[in-house]
């Protein structure tokens, strides 16, 4: 069975010094933690600090965002090749906070996905409906639009290197986790859509992870579902204790 994928998204938190303290504590708490694939996504400014400590270990480095151009006059942006050379293996793309605060659309998300795949970075494509959309019965449609448009012109071969994160916006940072049934229903929809887009069996090799108020208390019931290949953790990934507990409980 494939290992569960546990991703910590620190958002705009932790200086390089704070990141180093966190990683040392995490390593002490969870030791080898070889039974899961563990990814940390610090802010750009802490990538080097985390890389210096984790390089060669089982902790994998990821970034929270990428720009789609290779280089040029794009003040403040960072390219996929830059992330790769900084030691990243993963990059989060299309997080709902980027869609909400920075105007990202399915089209720009798709360009970012393309640029990550071009340098063999593994994109974690975030998709998911907002509260009003869920209440209006539009969750399936939103998830389908995010998925189809985000994956536009991404080939079946390239799909092998893509992770999908189902993150219902109403569950992110709210303390309101989706029930396992709610999460499972959408994960099944995503697998079904992937098979429709790419042909049968693509879904068996694609990881679909869940994100939204994951804690040490709810991790076990989420990961008991075979359809949930892992988790994307925001708030609870900021404290070494809570994140360590999530990791430990992910392998039980
Ligand atoms: C996230 O940032 O992707 C996230 C899921 O945040 P939280 O765990 O805090 O809800």
């Amino acid at each position: 069975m494939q290992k569960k994928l546990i991703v910590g998204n620190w958002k705009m938190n932790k200086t390089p010094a704070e990141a180093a303290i966190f990683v040392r504590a995490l390593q002490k708490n969870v030791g080898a933690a070889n039974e899961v694939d563990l990814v940390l996504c610090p802010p750009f400014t802490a990538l080097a600090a985390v890389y210096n400590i984790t390089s060669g270990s089982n902790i994998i480095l990821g970034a929270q965002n990428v720009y789609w151009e290779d280089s040029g006059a794009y003040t403040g942006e960072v390219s996929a090749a830059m992330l790769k050379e900084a030691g990243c293996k993963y990059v989060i793309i299309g997080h709902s906070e980027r869609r909400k605060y920075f105007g990202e659309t399915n089209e720009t998300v798709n360009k970012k996905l393309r640029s990550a795949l071009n340098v063999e970075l593994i994109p974690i494509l975030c998709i998911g409906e907002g509260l009003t959309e869920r209440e209006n019965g539009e969750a399936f449609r939103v998830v389908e639009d995010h998925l189809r448009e985000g994956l536009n012109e991404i080939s079946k071969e390239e799909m092998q290197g893509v992770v999908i994160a189902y993150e219902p916006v109403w569950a992110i940072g709210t303390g309101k986790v989706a029930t396992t049934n709610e999460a499972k229903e959408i994960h099944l929809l995503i697998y079904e859509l992937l098979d429709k887009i790419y042909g049968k069996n693509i879904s068996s090799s694609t990881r679909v992870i869940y994100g939204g108020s994951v804690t040490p208390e709810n991790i076990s019931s989420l990961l008991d579902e075979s359809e949930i290949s892992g988790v994307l953790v925001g708030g609870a990934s900021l404290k070494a204790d809570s994140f360590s507990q999530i990791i430990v409980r992910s392998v039980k």
Side-chain angles (χ1 to χ4, degrees):
M1 212 174 80
Q2 208 175 27
K3 291 179 189 177
K4 298 288 187 184
L5 176 64
I6 313 295
V7 184
N9 172 20
W10 290 354
K11 313 192 185 195
M12 197 175 73
N13 291 291
K14 297 193 191 299
T15 65
E18 290 164 346
I21 292 169
F22 175 97
V23 174
R24 291 209 176 87
L26 190 70
Q27 285 177 325
K28 203 167 145 211
N29 288 355
V30 294
N34 281 325
E35 298 95 336
V36 295
D37 287 330
L38 181 54
V39 180
L40 286 182
C41 301
F44 292 141
T45 47
L47 285 173
V50 175
Y51 179 76
N52 287 341
I53 303 173
T54 58
S55 156
S57 81
N58 56 317
I59 298 178
I60 307 164
L61 194 61
Q64 300 174 18
N65 184 28
V66 64
Y67 192 57
W68 59 81
E69 294 290 349
D70 293 341
S71 63
Y74 304 103
T75 303
E77 296 295 337
V78 172
S79 75
M82 291 170 183
L83 295 178
K84 182 98 179 175
E85 200 171 317
C88 292
K89 292 220 161 45
Y90 286 78
V91 59
I92 297 172
I93 294 180
H95 192 281
S96 62
E97 286 152 14
R98 295 216 53 88
R99 293 178 191 255
K100 180 175 173 192
Y101 299 123
F102 303 100
E104 295 202 4
T105 62
N106 290 335
E107 195 186 342
T108 59
V109 164
N110 175 252
K111 286 184 181 184
K112 291 182 174 204
L113 215 78
R114 157 69 41 230
S115 72
L117 288 168
N118 284 350
V119 299
E120 293 178 357
L121 271 178
I122 301 174
I124 301 174
L125 168 60
C126 298
I127 63 177
E129 80 286 358
L131 183 60
T132 316
E133 291 160 335
R134 173 155 284 263
E135 286 172 349
N136 290 343
E138 293 175 337
F140 277 36
R141 180 196 56 76
V142 173
V143 166
E144 177 160 5
D145 287 352
H146 281 182
L147 193 73
R148 283 189 186 277
E149 292 173 33
L151 293 176
N152 188 32
E153 295 191 9
I154 303 301
S155 72
K156 188 170 182 177
E157 290 65 40
E158 288 172 321
M159 242 342 263
Q160 306 295 332
V162 177
V163 173
I164 309 293
Y166 169 55
E167 295 212 298
V169 181
W170 46 271
I172 298 179
T174 58
K176 193 178 182 313
V177 66
T179 63
T180 43
N181 279 342
E182 284 168 336
K184 193 171 154 181
E185 185 183 40
I186 301 284
H187 281 232
L188 286 169
L189 169 75
I190 293 169
Y191 289 124
E192 204 179 288
L193 289 168
L194 288 174
D195 281 342
K196 258 197 213 157
I197 301 169
Y198 290 104
K200 276 250 161 287
N201 296 331
I202 188 84
S203 62
S204 56
S205 58
T206 305
R207 277 167 150 175
V208 181
I209 64 176
Y210 167 81
S213 295
V214 172
T215 63
E217 287 69 41
N218 57 34
I219 183 74
S220 304
S221 58
L222 286 165
L223 291 188
D224 275 350
E225 302 297 333
S226 59
E227 293 81 8
I228 302 181
S229 324
V231 283
L232 180 48
V233 188
S237 75
L238 289 173
K239 292 216 166 78
D241 279 354
S242 54
F243 199 45
S244 305
Q245 281 180 45
I246 286 175
I247 294 160
V248 168
R249 291 179 192 182
S250 296
V251 294
K252 283 198 179 135

